[in-house]
Amino acid sequence: EKELESLKKKLLTCSEKISRKRNKTAKLLESIIKQNLERLNMPKTQFNINLLSNRDNILDTGMDFCEFLISTNIGEELRPVAKIASGGEISRIMLAIKMALQSKDIVKTLIFDEIDSGISGATAETVGYALEKLAESHQILCITHLSQIAGKGNTHYKVNKKVNNNRISVNIHKLSKSDRIREIAALISGQKVTKSSRKQAEELLHL
């Protein structure tokens, strides 16, 4: 019993030390993520890392429980990210977090689905550059309908859906350089690919 009590005290001391470091790091991480969100055209977003400590429930990770809280609109209270953010917002929030953790992240493959939802123009360009930068340390899989983002990838796949025997089948194939120019041009101008949209596509691809 004495040995057990001694170990409990050591465990609590270690957990408190980790908790103090986490609280200090959380404030720094909050600040960096907020700056990243501003760059991704979410300037009014409030972001908070909420750490709750329970000395009576110490696990192998310590005594802290962490939750990301966010408010994407002025006047709204902070709520858990998963409960209030839209699909496009969650993708951009995830991007902002991954940008902040880039050098420390143990997850090397990231999937962004519809990260372009609700954005266009300069914001799309900014998101594209952010993904391009993150791709220096991660493998990025990105589903997008915007030329500014599609043009940043190293490899481009096109996904098609069609009905076969009353069932939807999905086909995916890798685009060649010329196919890629045509596909990005179509994202710019729609069904009819013009000389102007082809030229823009080539500029986006740095050709």
Side-chain angles (χ1 to χ4, degrees):
E1 286 178 355
K2 285 181 180 179
E3 186 180 358
L4 179 60
E5 193 61 33
S6 174
L7 289 171
K8 281 182 176 180
K9 286 180 180 178
K10 287 180 181 179
L11 179 61
L12 181 58
T13 300
C14 288
S15 298
E16 287 175 339
K17 185 179 180 181
I18 292 171
S19 190
R20 285 193 297 272
K21 286 189 174 184
R22 280 188 177 136
N23 276 280
K24 185 178 178 181
T25 303
K27 288 180 171 48
L28 176 61
L29 188 58
E30 265 182 30
S31 175
I32 296 170
I33 291 171
K34 283 178 185 175
Q35 290 173 23
N36 290 340
L37 287 169
E38 285 184 15
R39 295 192 192 104
L40 297 173
N41 200 31
M42 296 179 73
K44 305 298 182 183
T45 301
Q46 294 182 65
F47 184 85
N48 177 253
I49 298 175
N50 187 29
L51 284 173
L52 299 173
S53 302
N54 185 350
R55 296 160 59 99
D56 299 320
N57 185 29
I58 301 177
L59 306 175
D60 56 346
T61 54
M63 63 181 186
D64 303 312
F65 171 78
C66 178
E67 190 170 35
F68 288 171
L69 303 177
I70 198 162
S71 170
T72 55
N73 296 306
I74 296 173
E76 288 187 0
E77 64 180 67
L78 288 159
R79 294 179 185 172
V81 169
K83 292 185 178 179
I84 67 159
S86 67
E89 286 175 337
I90 286 176
S91 288
R92 271 184 282 166
I93 292 163
M94 177 180 163
L95 179 55
I97 292 169
K98 291 298 182 180
M99 285 163 63
L101 297 174
Q102 187 167 2
S103 63
K104 308 284 186 184
D105 199 0
I106 60 171
V107 177
K108 294 303 179 184
T109 299
L110 303 173
I111 302 173
F112 293 97
D113 186 10
E114 305 287 351
I115 197 170
D116 51 26
S117 177
I119 64 170
S120 59
T123 303
E125 188 74 14
T126 302
V127 170
Y129 278 122
L131 288 168
E132 191 175 36
K133 183 68 178 172
L134 193 57
E136 292 175 5
S137 57
H138 293 68
Q139 179 187 44
I140 307 290
L141 303 178
C142 185
I143 296 100
T144 183
H145 300 282
L146 290 182
S147 58
Q148 296 98 320
I149 295 175
K152 300 297 182 188
N154 294 323
T155 309
H156 195 151
Y157 293 88
K158 183 172 182 178
V159 180
N160 288 311
K161 289 182 181 180
K162 61 181 180 180
V163 178
N164 274 330
N165 299 321
N166 295 318
R167 293 194 65 182
I168 292 178
S169 63
V170 178
N171 294 315
I172 180 169
H173 66 276
K174 184 178 178 180
L175 300 182
S176 65
K177 186 183 290 185
S178 59
D179 287 339
R180 194 175 182 195
I181 292 170
R182 186 169 59 251
E183 184 61 29
I184 291 177
L187 290 175
I188 295 169
S189 62
Q191 290 283 339
K192 187 177 180 181
V193 175
T194 64
K195 286 184 179 180
S196 175
S197 63
R198 285 184 68 89
K199 186 176 180 181
Q200 283 181 265
E202 288 172 355
E203 288 175 357
L204 284 171
L205 292 168
H206 307 296
L207 297 176

